[in-house]
Amino acid sequence: MGAMKEQRAPSTFENAFYEYIRNLPEKKSKRSMLARIDLLNPPTPEDIQESLRQIEIRHAQKQSVKMLKRVLGPVVAVLKDYYGVFDTLSQADQTPGCVLWGVLKIAIDGLSRFVDLIDKIKAEVLSFSAQLRRLTLYEQLYGQSLDMQELLFSSYKNIFRFWCRVDKECSRCGLNTLLRASTSFSIRKLQAIVDDLKEDADQIEKVAAIVEGQYAGTERLEATLARYENKKERDEGSAWRKQMQSDRIRSWLGGQNINESTLHRHRNNLDVNRHESESPTCDWLSKYSQFQDWTRGTSSKPILWLFAGPGSGKSVLCSHAVEYMKNLGDAQAQCLHFYEFDNEHTAIVTARNLATQLFERYWLLNHDVSEDLQSTSQKSGADLINVFEFIRVLVGELPKVYVFLDGLDEECTVARWKEAIKIIDFVNLLAETFPETVRVWYSSQDRPIIRQQLESRLILNVKEQIRVAVDEHISLKVPGICNPEVDQDTRTWILSELKQRADGNFLWASLMLKTIENEVSSFDEMELFIKEGLPKDLDAYYRRIIARYDKRERELASKIFSIITFARRRLRLTELREAIGIISSENPRSLQNRNIPWRQAVEKVFAPLIETQDDPEQQGERFCYLFHSTVKDFLISNQNIFQQESPSLAIHSISELTIANACLLYLSQDRYSQLLTREAKQWITTSKDRIKDHHLLTYSAKYWDKHFDRVEETPELRQKIEDFLTSSNFQSTIQLQSLFVQGHFDVYTISRCSPNQKFTKRVFPKWFASHNMDGCSQFSKNYRSYISEWHNLLDCANCDEPRCYPHSAVKQLRGELDRCLWGALGPRNFLSSNPGRYTSFMLCDKDDFGPGIMPYNQAISQDGSKVVVLQPSGGSADSADSTFHHKTWNLPNREVPALLGTDTTVSTSLDRKRWDDADLKSISFGPDLAFLRIGSQILSVNSGGEYRPIDRLDIISEHPNACFEDITSRGSLLVVASRRRMPEIKESRGREPAKVDQSSDKSFQHSENLISDSDLGKDSSATQCRHCSREPSKSNHGSDTSPAKGEDPSEKDRSDSDSSSPSGEISEWNSAEESWSEGSTEVDELGNPMTSSDESSSNPSEAEADSEDESENPQDDAASDTAINSYGQLYEESDSDGGDVDFDCGSEEDSYDGDYESDWSDDNNQEEDLHFDSDDEERLVRRMAYSRQDMKREAKVQKGILKIYELAAGHPTQLFTFTYPLPVMLYESPPAIHPNKPLVVWPLSGGDVLFADFEAKSYFIRRARTTTRKTSLEAQQMKQSRSEIKAGTRPRLALSAFISTHRLSARKTTRSPPTLIHRVKVFLGSTASLCPTRMPIELTWTEKEVYLSSSCDSNLLTLLRVDLFSPTKEPPAADYNAVSVPKLPILLPESARSRSVHYYPPQLKTTHALILIGSWACKPNTDDDKSTHKPDDAPNENDTIQGLPETVSPPLGFYVDVEKDLGGWGASNAEEEIDKDKDKGQLKQKMEIFAAEDDCDIEHYFFTKRR
């Protein structure tokens, strides 16, 4: 059944209508027009208005009405004009004519009323619509008023009356209307209705004014209430925001737990004082004059130091002083901290405790947080300086502050005193800064180191006052001492004995009084107890208590006191029970609940020397601790106290070995032999046990090694620790420390040491590993090597500091230590045997780690199946002779690396210092590992895998100072390339520099004379043309034409010697002529020039063959790129490199295509006159001068040299030589050789690419359309937020890679420019700094994709897979993305940010990919390097951990399953859009060379203004 419609309440108009219908007589209701109306659908005001209009129109259209009005109207008007005349005549002549006039007058008046009725109806109908609209508006505005409803109700009824009356009058025929008009009855009825309507309108208007006033009053009241509510909401909102600010600050301080401990002890001290209220033990302090002066501020010294002996009640006095200050009632703040012997507090914890107490008092006084406090709390809360600043701001805003620090003597170790002195110095500084408002209280024993700090302060030696107070306390508290039955002599003797033995020690007095109260029942027994059983001092009292334990309890008590005495913090009761259980268990490898002692049995041993306190963090848990520091001193001094009465092996001596063994045994359990796993946000063991139920676990992980520090070393104990370190349990321990031990893996610096020297927490016992620089044990070195590599996972994964934003991505991996590359730590590292998620390795043997710090060099085959590692032997870097150890590793089918052959040695001459100083690669390999270059010497590999020098090959004979860094090969063909020159050897001061060998070629000497020393070995981009990024006298799309092939060398030398032109110098070394294949200027959809069918050829037969081929296949090679998706389709013999990569970060709008730029830009010419003025002429002259200067600069520009050798004939034969100016330096851009054709491709500079045919001795150069104005490696600054700018953060650099795929011609491979068929621009991310000589990423080329790999700032693997070809489907799928990334993260070691990271995809029939990380050498910065400025947030490649001053690491590697470890490949948003209408990546057509002096033949030019 459908839902019923909601009934709508009838409106006032409808109610008036129904009321009017009900009140009509039955006769009228049947005859009136209302009888024709459907009462279920009453009319609306608009219906009535429309009905009246139609009635009036129909009435006016009647013929009778028209005729009577047209005929009688004028007559009646005329007769009425003569009414006065006719009346006068009738009065003067009273004849029958008078009667006739009277009858005629009546008729005239009736006719007049008839005419007026018609006009009146028309006029009222016209005004009715306006009145009806007003009533509707009144109802909408004031319909809620009862008075207004009554008036509207009456008005609507009158409207219905008017409606019916008009309908009735207009429905009569004309004669009937005329006859009824003879009397005024009908007119009066209509007029009465109209008058009622007007009266209603007047009343409505008056009531509307009244209702409006009522509404206004109500609105004013509501507005007042709304303002009140708004103010209340604002106040509540402000209070809520202030409360949130205060809660945030409380969370920032994080001192609630330690504050609870402080307040607990303070309350206990007050309870002691109240319990002894009958004896004035502390009341004397408030009457002490010096204390009174200190509290009132009349003392000149705001810092007070109260000292007394142990057990004198100093802490109780401190609490009494705090309470006394609170009772003064002033608006003051107090903060209190107790130093405790069994609870170590760092300076940051103590400062947070003080700050929390001060802030709570500040909040109570103000209920607001100032802007200074808010801004200070925005900084890192882990920094002690920030907490100190917060306290300083608080103190400045509080009226008066009292700081109480008790128990300074409890900080008895050097480390703890260093933390305490930080607080003391800061508090003293506060008192000196605010001497009127800050008062400081210190209470402690008198120690020389404390006196040294506080001897200039207000000192209170209250020994005598405490003695008097203790004596009074004894006099009042001795049981029965006031009994009148006791004689005075006995009373005096008892009191004197007790007072003498107490000697002002409140602790001893309290303990003795409790003992007398519990054990003595008469004065005779008291006298006997004092003579024979009363302990003389605290030690005797403690012996007496321990002697009470029976033999069965001594075993448990010895363990309890040993553990609690040497615990590094207060232990919880559950932790204590598990520690006892693990050392008591017969099978400590598996602790069971049955091994753990009952809680009741443990608590029975506590009283009275051990007390408990509720744990504020865990409900129902309690802390256990010795009730006084003198108990700990006694137990340490009497370690065999429990064995004196009943010696037994089960009874432990009071030694730290007990708790040390407990921690080590607990961590060595079988359930921790594997790493913990995370399930439902909880960490569990492999047996599904929750870690939170293992109570001693986190304590053992943090303190296990510290407890062995003071344990005597034995061979058995050392072996026990070594077994633990080499087991997988230690791996789990590291995981626990990473998860639950705060700051365990933090790296520290020391002010007195170099900033590059890093320090970490000691993790092994002091006697187990020496920590001197020269005596660091192998365990320490191995461990520090591990944490230096995986610090980001161990520490930064748990870091909540906002400044650690680069490591935010690692937080999701916290605790996952199986991601560490354990095997890559090296075969000699004791941690390398730990299990991991990946199969990892280090390419070295155990014997490879010898003395020396020379870096490794490695080369990897193109498929990653073979790696050659070359390591220099030890020796001075200045030595001219070098020896290298060479090893070749085979990685077949992604298995464990295998060493091919034996270790071989390579000896050669190499000036390593000269190469290193010039920042040049001294060693490089060919892509197929067949050739090795060491310095300027080339070696080839023989059948035995050994590298031997190539006989009679001297690549520097013609260019002695050229640095041939890049080599490549194909079979017996060798290609070497040079972009930079070696710096000249400079002799020591006072000697002339060495001269160039006189036997060198004269032309080379000529070239050397043109190059200054300052320009060698550096980028010469600063010498380029001011108006473009190329040499102005050279074509940016082609090379200068060289001499003909058959030219006599002697003639060439003579012509070169006569010419000083740089172009002559360059062409002198070119052994080829420039050549190219002509083509049409048609372009494809990518904007490439397409080669037409009339492509020319130097061989007529070849041209005819090409024409025949093209007639058979009408589609040109360049036009078939849409179907290409592999190298096989690209060209069956194409080069395996397959693409060019250009790194940039500029926007596409800033792209530069290499065209010549003129000074006559539009902006310069908008306001020019229509004539050639002198300024234009000067500009042209200046332009010509620039060209001449550029030609002179060209001599200083570095030269690129390419050489090709054939080595198959038994002796090297030079096939090809090419030299070219390089105004812009490129790095990591070696030449590539075609696998079958005689083609070598080499990127030059400025986008120019050389295509050389070394058989035909020809070449051509094309410029690639780049994506930036400069083709060198370039980065763009990223936008910074205001907060980053305000914080002074250096802007980061955004990097991109532009990858283009070009197709070579199948017929004219060496002579026809390739065609662009695919291009992708990829965003690589941001970096803090960039080294131009090192590629920020590594490239791995495959048949269809290229892989870009690197390590990002968060040490995660950055891996991009980029398609080299467009998809085969046309059009491509909507979700197609040319760039893919792994779905799961891979974590890399810290040093990977300074290493090369290579990715090699899975080979056939395998699913595992290979990730190889290159070698690494770390050397600390020297003082000479301090002037070199680096960004603050840039990674420092030379940062070292203390104990590893200089680190060398060979290559590392590991295997990953593409589906399991990488999660497969997913679409990436790194692809950047490239405008299709732009020609990025294309090779430009050849253009004629522009020579400024020859081609700039100028004449006058008339400029016109742009409109």
Side-chain angles (χ1 to χ4, degrees), residues 481-494:
I481 197 65
C482 298
N483 193 332
E485 298 180 358
V486 181
D487 60 276
Q488 185 63 35
D489 293 339
T490 302
R491 182 184 299 110
T492 303
W493 180 82
I494 291 174

Side-chain angles (χ1 to χ4, degrees), residues 6-22:
E6 184 180 356
Q7 295 293 332
R8 180 179 61 86
S11 64
T12 304
F13 184 83
E14 293 173 348
N15 290 333
F17 174 75
Y18 290 126
E19 180 68 18
Y20 176 72
I21 295 297
R22 286 193 298 269

Side-chain angles (χ1 to χ4, degrees), residues 895-1020:
E895 297 176 356
V896 177
L899 183 61
L900 295 179
T902 58
D903 185 3
T904 60
T905 302
V906 178
S907 299
T908 183
S909 59
L910 174 65
D911 189 351
R912 288 199 298 258
K913 186 176 186 306
R914 188 183 183 193
W915 284 79
D916 294 341
D917 292 344
D919 194 18
L920 300 172
K921 293 192 303 182
S922 59
I923 299 176
S924 61
F925 289 82
D928 56 357
L929 308 183
F931 293 93
L932 164 65
R933 178 191 60 83
I934 301 179
S936 299
Q937 186 175 12
I938 305 296
L939 301 90
S940 63
V941 64
N942 57 21
S943 58
E946 299 178 348
Y947 285 96
R948 292 292 180 259
I950 301 176
D951 296 334
R952 292 177 292 179
L953 176 62
D954 187 1
I955 60 175
I956 63 170
S957 59
E958 299 176 344
H959 307 278
N961 275 4
C963 172
F964 290 92
E965 294 183 272
D966 300 321
I967 65 173
T968 188
S969 62
R970 187 190 73 191
S972 61
L973 291 174
L974 174 65
V975 182
V976 296
S978 169
R979 296 182 183 276
R980 295 185 286 176
R981 293 182 177 176
M982 295 289 295
E984 292 185 356
I985 301 178
K986 297 182 179 180
E987 301 293 337
S988 59
R989 186 174 301 179
R991 299 177 61 185
E992 295 182 0
K995 297 182 180 180
V996 180
D997 188 1
Q998 298 296 329
S999 62
S1000 301
D1001 196 308
K1002 295 181 179 180
S1003 58
F1004 180 78
Q1005 296 179 24
H1006 173 70
S1007 174
E1008 282 293 303
N1009 293 333
L1010 299 176
I1011 302 178
S1012 64
D1013 293 341
S1014 61
D1015 293 319
L1016 291 171
K1018 68 177 183 179
D1019 188 354
S1020 303

Side-chain angles (χ1 to χ4, degrees), residues 282-325:
C282 296
D283 291 345
W284 63 268
L285 180 64
S286 58
K287 302 173 183 178
Y288 199 63
S289 59
Q290 288 181 300
F291 178 75
Q292 289 289 338
D293 294 340
W294 179 77
T295 57
R296 298 191 188 100
T298 56
S299 173
S300 59
K301 298 180 179 181
I303 301 176
L304 179 149
W305 176 37
L306 182 148
F307 68 87
S312 302
K314 299 180 294 299
S315 298
V316 176
L317 277 174
C318 180
S319 295
H320 176 79
V322 173
E323 200 67 14
Y324 174 79
M325 300 308 303

Side-chain angles (χ1 to χ4, degrees), residues 51 76 213 219 343 355 407 465 495 564-565 567 590 606 663 782 875 886 982 1095 1108 1203 1344 1347 1372 1462:
S51 176
V76 171
E219 289 178 355
N343 210 359
Q465 288 80 358
L495 293 177
I564 293 181
T565 299
S590 178
F606 282 178
C663 293
N782 292 165
H886 153 250
M982 295 289 295
E1095 189 176 8
E1108 293 176 0
K1203 292 186 176 184
K1344 297 181 180 180
Y1347 295 88
L1462 298 183

Side-chain angles (χ1 to χ4, degrees), residues 369-624:
V369 180
S370 66
E371 293 184 0
D372 291 340
L373 289 177
Q374 293 183 39
S375 61
T376 305
S377 62
Q378 296 293 333
K379 303 175 183 178
S380 172
D383 193 341
L384 180 62
I385 300 300
N386 297 334
V387 181
F388 280 167
E389 177 63 17
F390 184 84
I391 296 176
R392 189 195 64 78
V393 175
L394 267 177
V395 169
E397 298 185 5
L398 287 169
K400 207 156 192 178
V401 175
Y402 291 87
V403 182
F404 294 86
L405 299 177
D406 174 71
L408 297 180
D409 54 285
E410 305 286 357
E411 305 303 292
C412 51
T413 64
V414 175
R416 294 182 64 170
W417 178 251
K418 286 182 179 179
E419 296 296 311
I421 200 64
K422 297 176 184 177
I423 301 297
I424 295 173
D425 291 341
F426 171 70
V427 171
N428 291 346
L429 181 62
L430 278 181
E432 295 170 359
T433 307
F434 305 95
E436 302 297 329
T437 59
V438 176
R439 291 289 180 270
V440 181
W441 164 294
Y442 296 110
S443 52
S444 69
Q445 298 183 37
D446 189 6
R447 296 282 188 269
I449 191 171
I450 301 176
R451 178 172 290 276
Q452 181 181 357
Q453 291 290 330
L454 303 175
E455 61 183 356
S456 62
R457 312 301 180 180
L458 178 61
I459 300 178
L460 298 184
N461 185 356
V462 294
K463 183 177 181 180
E464 291 301 324
Q465 288 80 358
I466 291 178
R467 183 192 301 275
V468 173
V470 171
D471 291 346
E472 293 179 1
H473 176 66
I474 293 175
S475 300
L476 295 175
K477 301 300 292 186
V478 173
I481 197 65
C482 298
N483 193 332
E485 298 180 358
V486 181
D487 60 276
Q488 185 63 35
D489 293 339
T490 302
R491 182 184 299 110
T492 303
W493 180 82
I494 291 174
L495 293 177
S496 62
E497 285 292 325
L498 292 177
K499 291 177 182 179
Q500 182 179 1
R501 303 228 184 145
D503 192 23
N505 192 313
F506 181 80
L507 176 63
W508 186 92
S510 299
L511 294 174
M512 289 305 100
L513 291 175
K514 289 181 181 179
T515 303
I516 292 174
E517 184 178 357
N518 295 330
E519 300 182 9
V520 175
S521 59
S522 65
F523 282 100
D524 290 339
E525 292 182 1
M526 184 183 298
E527 184 176 353
L528 182 62
F529 176 76
I530 294 175
K531 290 180 179 180
E532 297 181 2
L534 181 67
K536 297 181 180 180
D537 52 20
L538 286 175
D539 286 359
Y541 173 76
Y542 296 147
R543 288 180 182 275
R544 188 172 183 273
I545 292 177
I546 293 176
R548 294 178 184 174
Y549 294 112
D550 56 29
K551 182 178 180 180
R552 184 177 57 84
E553 291 177 333
R554 282 178 173 273
E555 178 183 346
L556 179 61
S558 64
K559 298 174 183 177
I560 291 176
F561 279 98
S562 292
I563 293 173
I564 293 181
T565 299
F566 291 99
R568 289 302 180 110
R569 62 163 174 82
R570 290 181 176 178
L571 291 176
R572 298 178 177 88
L573 186 56
T574 52
E575 295 174 333
L576 175 63
R577 292 170 58 207
E578 287 192 350
I580 298 172
I582 196 69
I583 60 176
S584 303
S585 174
E586 295 180 357
N587 181 21
R589 297 290 298 182
S590 178
L591 178 64
Q592 304 296 329
N593 289 332
R594 61 187 302 170
N595 306 129
I596 301 175
W598 294 332
R599 178 170 181 170
Q600 296 83 351
V602 174
E603 290 180 339
K604 183 180 178 181
V605 180
F606 282 178
L609 300 182
I610 298 176
E611 295 181 350
T612 61
Q613 174 189 338
D614 290 335
D615 183 1
E617 294 183 350
Q618 298 184 20
Q619 186 102 17
E621 188 63 274
R622 299 185 68 81
F623 284 110
C624 313

